[in-house]
């Protein structure tokens, strides 16, 4: 069994990823290793932000680790909220962030969007990246209560329910994060 630190403070993400790599790896959170630092996320791309997380842990603790940066890209908003997904409205309050997205999209017919995840892995002094994306549309109301973030307003293509109306298992089987984590897990299996 291999111990890896997942550079996240988001308990939902840790749960989602732990479920996907379950038997092979023990994932530790930032809290588990006693890291309460506010790791900088100042990049202009998901990849830059993901790498900032693993660079930080590798430099400070010398640990093998991975970190992801994810977000929602809405075509009619030129890819926003993108790297600003967590704080689009200026706060981490998701009600406000969703409200801002819906107000910007009021009356807009083009509703296409995608969730994207980039994972940065630091292992054996080497840097690797894994990517996942899922295409869908933004609806004009909130539906469902499971998941987190923008899940209540995102319907993946080929489905008629939002991510927040799906069980965790169903979301995990198709999500951007699961695609990226699947690539990470495949890589680690060969390790
Ligand atoms: P960490 O940086 O601590 O990992 P975070 O919540 O900031 O946690 P990300 O940077 O990966 O997570 O994602 C930024 C935001 O993008 C996140 O807060 C959500 O609002 C949104 N997001 C990412 N993945 C999502 C998903 O699966 N469903 C809904 N929203 C998601």
């Amino acid at each position: 069994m291999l111990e890896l630190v997942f550079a996240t403070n988001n308990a939902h993400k840790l749960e989602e990823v732990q479920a996907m790599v379950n038997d092979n790896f023990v994932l530790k959170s930032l809290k588990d290793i006693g890291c309460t630092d506010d790791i900088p996320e100042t990049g202009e791309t998901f990849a830059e932000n993901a790498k900032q997380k693993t660079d930080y842990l590798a430099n400070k603790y010398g640990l093998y680790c991975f970190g992801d940066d994810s977000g929602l890209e809405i075509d009619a908003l030129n890819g926003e909220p993108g790297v600003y997904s967590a704080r689009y409205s200026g706060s981490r309050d998701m009600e406000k962030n969703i409200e801002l997205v819906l107000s910007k999209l009021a009356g807009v017919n083009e509703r296409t969007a995608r969730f994207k995840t980039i994972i940065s892995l630091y292992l054996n002094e080497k840097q690797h990246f894994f990517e996942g994306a899922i295409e869908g549309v933004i609806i004009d109301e909130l539906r469902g209560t499971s998941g987190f973030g923008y899940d209540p307003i995102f319907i993946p293509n080929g489905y008629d329910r939002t991510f927040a109306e799906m069980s965790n298992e169903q979301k995990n089987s198709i999500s951007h994060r699961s695609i990226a984590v699947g690539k990470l897990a495949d890589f680690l299996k060969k390790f």
Side-chain angles (χ1 to χ4, degrees), residues 8-9 13 53 69-70 92 148 150-151 171 176-177:
T8 184
N9 288 310
K13 279 173 34 176
K53 296 180 188 181
D69 195 38
S70 325
R92 290 194 78 104
F148 70 99
Y150 298 92
D151 284 345
K171 178 188 167 188
H176 50 309
R177 189 166 304 101

Side-chain angles (χ1 to χ4, degrees), residues 47 50-52 54-55 58 65 67 119-130 187:
K51 186 168 180 298
Q52 275 185 331
T54 48
D55 281 353
C65 54
I119 293 174
S120 159
L121 169 71
Y122 172 72
L123 191 61
N124 268 5
E125 336 315 325
K126 286 206 183 95
Q127 175 72 48
H128 305 271
F129 289 102
F130 307 92
F187 176 86

Side-chain angles (χ1 to χ4, degrees), residues 39-149:
I39 301 177
E41 267 184 68
T42 54
E44 282 174 15
T45 64
F46 296 127
E48 279 171 29
N49 281 341
K51 186 168 180 298
Q52 275 185 331
K53 296 180 188 181
T54 48
D55 281 353
Y56 189 90
L57 292 183
N59 291 334
K60 182 161 179 186
Y61 300 94
L63 292 170
Y64 290 151
C65 54
F66 68 95
D68 78 329
D69 195 38
S70 325
L72 179 64
E73 289 180 349
I74 301 173
D75 292 323
L77 304 181
N78 296 317
E80 286 184 11
V83 290
Y84 307 109
S85 292
R87 289 191 182 82
Y88 194 40
S89 67
S91 89
R92 290 194 78 104
D93 182 339
M94 277 320 293
E95 253 177 60
K96 290 199 177 120
N97 292 333
I98 287 180
E99 208 178 277
L100 180 59
V101 164
L102 294 185
S103 70
K104 288 197 179 200
L105 287 179
V108 175
N109 289 328
E110 188 196 5
R111 313 290 296 199
T112 50
R114 72 206 52 76
F115 276 119
K116 238 187 216 175
T117 294
I118 308 282
I119 293 174
S120 159
L121 169 71
Y122 172 72
L123 191 61
N124 268 5
E125 336 315 325
K126 286 206 183 95
Q127 175 72 48
H128 305 271
F129 289 102
F130 307 92
E131 188 175 337
I134 179 157
E135 301 286 330
V137 293
I138 303 298
I139 56 171
D140 58 9
E141 57 176 350
L142 283 82
R143 281 174 23 193
T145 53
S146 58
F148 70 99

